[in-house]
Amino acid sequence: MNRRDFSAATLLGTAALASPAAHAQGQPVEGQQYVKLSQPLPVSVPPGKIEVIEFFWYGCPHCAAFEPELDAWARAQPDYVVFSRVPVAFRAEPFTTHQRIFYALEALGQLDAMHRKVFYAIHNERLALDKPAEITAFMTKNGIDASKFMEAFGSFTTQTRIKRARVLVDGYKIDGVPAIGVQGRFYTSGTMARGNGKALSEADFLIQRLHKT
């Protein structure tokens, strides 16, 4: 999915101000490889911690391909980095159903075990996972109690988390996935960084920038 639009004038103006020093030091350039939000967002981490969020959609092939590299990166982060994922919904369906799958698995404590399996089912087994019958069959096949899953799937808690996800997506102005938000202040993506792996390098740069302040 495409990155958000920036006017050529804005990009050129930012680059003109930032690029000579940044490029000389091999650093990313604000407005090109990452964006600083004009309105910082509140974070859900204690003081001294840095919140990093991956925005994704289970139906996105780029997110599926990115997952192993992202997971390894997240596990290698220092203890002051708090990493989480937020599923997006650019339209009602199947996005909202996939959000519900994510939050139901999280509520049941099955997210670590099932997250990649959901990607695999959609992109390798060609399951849409957008209808209750298919979803419950998939969960049962993977050893998850279908009735408990569907209870979590339709719960008030799941709906509340979906609303919070919408606030974060709107606040970061996410219009493409995968994307990475850092501490409610910065945003980068594979499109901006010219590669998902490079987006992780931009995230590292932003994390260290915040950690030093």
Side-chain angles (χ1 to χ4, degrees):
M1 295 179 180
N2 295 330
R3 70 185 254 191
R4 78 188 89 168
D5 292 329
F6 293 94
S7 70
T10 299
L11 285 177
L12 289 172
T14 303
L17 290 171
S19 8
H23 283 308
Q25 299 175 28
Q27 294 178 353
V29 178
E30 183 180 326
Q32 294 184 359
Q33 286 82 34
Y34 71 95
V35 170
K36 183 177 181 179
L37 300 184
S38 59
Q39 182 63 47
L41 303 175
V43 297
S44 301
V45 296
K49 302 288 187 179
I50 297 174
E51 181 178 76
V52 178
I53 301 171
E54 184 224 6
F55 294 92
F56 80 99
W57 171 43
Y58 277 130
C60 167
H62 305 293
C63 298
F66 186 36
E67 180 56 31
E69 185 177 10
L70 173 70
D71 187 54
W73 176 87
R75 292 178 186 277
Q77 291 304 299
D79 60 5
Y80 57 80
V81 173
V82 179
F83 174 77
S84 63
R85 296 175 174 86
V86 169
V88 306
F90 293 129
R91 59 178 183 273
E93 296 298 346
F95 289 89
T96 301
T97 295
H98 290 172
Q99 284 181 309
R100 288 183 178 277
I101 289 173
F102 177 87
Y103 287 121
L105 289 171
E106 185 177 63
L108 295 176
Q110 295 291 336
L111 192 56
D112 286 347
M114 294 296 296
H115 187 62
R116 286 203 205 178
K117 290 182 180 181
V118 176
F119 274 124
Y120 188 88
I122 293 172
H123 297 282
N124 296 82
E125 298 177 346
R126 303 301 178 187
L127 300 178
L129 294 185
D130 60 352
K131 300 291 189 298
E134 186 178 58
I135 294 168
T136 53
F138 170 74
M139 295 300 165
T140 300
K141 177 184 175 182
N142 284 279
I144 294 177
D145 186 303
S147 61
K148 289 182 179 179
F149 176 84
M150 292 309 294
E151 181 180 352
F153 182 87
S155 71
F156 176 77
T157 298
T158 291
Q159 187 58 38
T160 299
R161 290 177 178 175
I162 287 173
K163 289 179 180 178
R164 180 178 180 274
R166 187 178 304 124
V167 170
L168 285 169
V169 169
D170 290 345
Y172 274 105
K173 297 179 173 60
I174 303 298
D175 67 357
V177 289
I180 299 172
V182 181
Q183 196 66 358
R185 294 173 61 184
F186 300 103
Y187 163 99
T188 189
S189 69
T191 303
M192 295 191 73
R194 299 180 183 270
N196 290 330
K198 291 182 179 179
L200 295 179
S201 297
E202 313 305 342
D204 283 331
F205 167 77
L206 295 169
I207 289 167
Q208 292 309 308
R209 173 176 166 180
L210 289 165
H211 185 57
K212 291 175 182 177
T213 58

